[in-house]
Amino acid sequence: MRHLTVYISSLFLLSTIVIFYGCKKDNPKQTISASGTVLNDPTGKPISNITITLKQASGSSSIGGSGSWFVIDTKTTDNNGNFSFSKEVQGGDGWMITINDYNSKYLTTWYQIQPNTSSVQTTYLYQNATLTVTAQTTNPLASGDKFYLNLPGIGCSCFSLTSIRAKAGAYNKITWSVIRNSVTQNFEDTVYCTIDTVKYHTINY
């Protein structure tokens, strides 16, 4: 009976070790090494005190997928606009760097990175401007016709006043489509937005 108890205990211990190392093998530790510089576009000057976040995905390895992204580390750019991450991670389905997560003065951007690979990237950020667009028609749409207003970064099918965060000190492209009698016509305007201002623009169709 004693031999049987020892045998069962040894078997349980062996199974536990196999399971432990099996899980450990499926989720090996990896190193995230990423650094970069954030510069003002179009001046090219460094931007300090910009929040940089390192995020890890769970459930999806692609931007815009069905998974969730979690912040695993945060940095701030120094006086030269530089930042650096070096972090050991385990598991995860993808990683990305988000530039300017919380500062509304500048636009936000991101890029994906790979583990066990050194990533070095320079990012140019535009300051924010507010672009407010009004769509008005002198030729009302008939039943079944459609109008689509497409602003930088978003799209909507509306006639009302629409405001977005646009690039300051730069040209922003606005496109729209008009569908009449099942025929689609596409149009575009280019609008220059200055820094720290609200730009109003009206399109007619």
Side-chain angles (χ1 to χ4, degrees):
M1 187 68 177
R2 181 184 176 192
H3 293 292
L4 179 60
T5 302
V6 172
Y7 174 76
I8 292 174
S9 300
S10 300
L11 183 62
F12 175 76
L13 178 61
L14 179 62
S15 300
T16 303
I17 293 173
V18 170
I19 292 173
F20 173 77
Y21 279 99
C23 293
K24 192 173 182 180
K25 185 178 180 181
D26 291 338
N27 294 286
K29 290 183 178 180
Q30 303 177 90
T31 301
I32 295 294
S33 178
S35 61
T37 304
V38 181
L39 304 177
N40 182 287
D41 198 336
T43 68
K45 294 182 179 180
I47 307 176
S48 61
N49 297 318
I50 289 292
T51 300
I52 315 293
T53 54
L54 172 61
K55 297 181 180 180
Q56 179 172 299
S58 175
S60 174
S61 59
S62 63
I63 301 293
S66 59
S68 299
W69 290 89
F70 302 93
V71 175
I72 59 175
D73 204 355
T74 302
K75 301 289 184 179
T76 304
T77 55
D78 62 18
N79 290 335
N80 296 314
N82 297 323
F83 69 90
S84 179
F85 290 98
S86 181
K87 191 173 185 66
E88 193 174 72
V89 296
Q90 191 167 6
D93 296 296
W95 293 266
M96 73 172 174
I97 298 291
T98 301
I99 308 289
N100 192 37
D101 233 2
Y102 308 108
N103 188 337
S104 60
K105 185 177 180 180
Y106 291 90
L107 295 174
T108 299
T109 189
W110 49 261
Y111 57 90
Q112 285 189 277
I113 55 176
Q114 299 297 323
N116 302 324
T117 302
S118 180
S119 171
V120 181
Q121 183 161 320
T122 299
T123 302
Y124 291 86
L125 288 186
Y126 279 98
Q127 285 187 255
N128 281 323
T130 300
L131 176 59
T132 300
V133 179
T134 304
Q136 62 183 23
T137 181
T138 55
N139 184 9
L141 296 176
S143 177
D145 293 344
K146 295 181 180 179
F147 167 81
Y148 294 95
L149 173 62
N150 302 297
L151 298 173
I154 66 170
C156 65
S157 53
C158 53
F159 305 102
S160 60
L161 202 66
T162 304
S163 296
I164 63 158
R165 293 168 64 182
K167 293 179 180 179
Y171 288 93
N172 294 267
K173 185 167 70 173
I174 303 169
T175 62
W176 70 93
S177 301
V178 180
I179 303 174
R180 284 193 173 97
N181 299 319
S182 300
V183 177
T184 302
Q185 290 182 290
N186 299 309
F187 307 90
E188 70 175 50
D189 271 351
T190 302
V191 182
Y192 184 84
C193 296
T194 57
I195 296 174
D196 297 327
T197 189
V198 177
K199 178 71 176 183
Y200 292 92
H201 184 72
T202 301
I203 64 173
N204 297 284
Y205 64 95

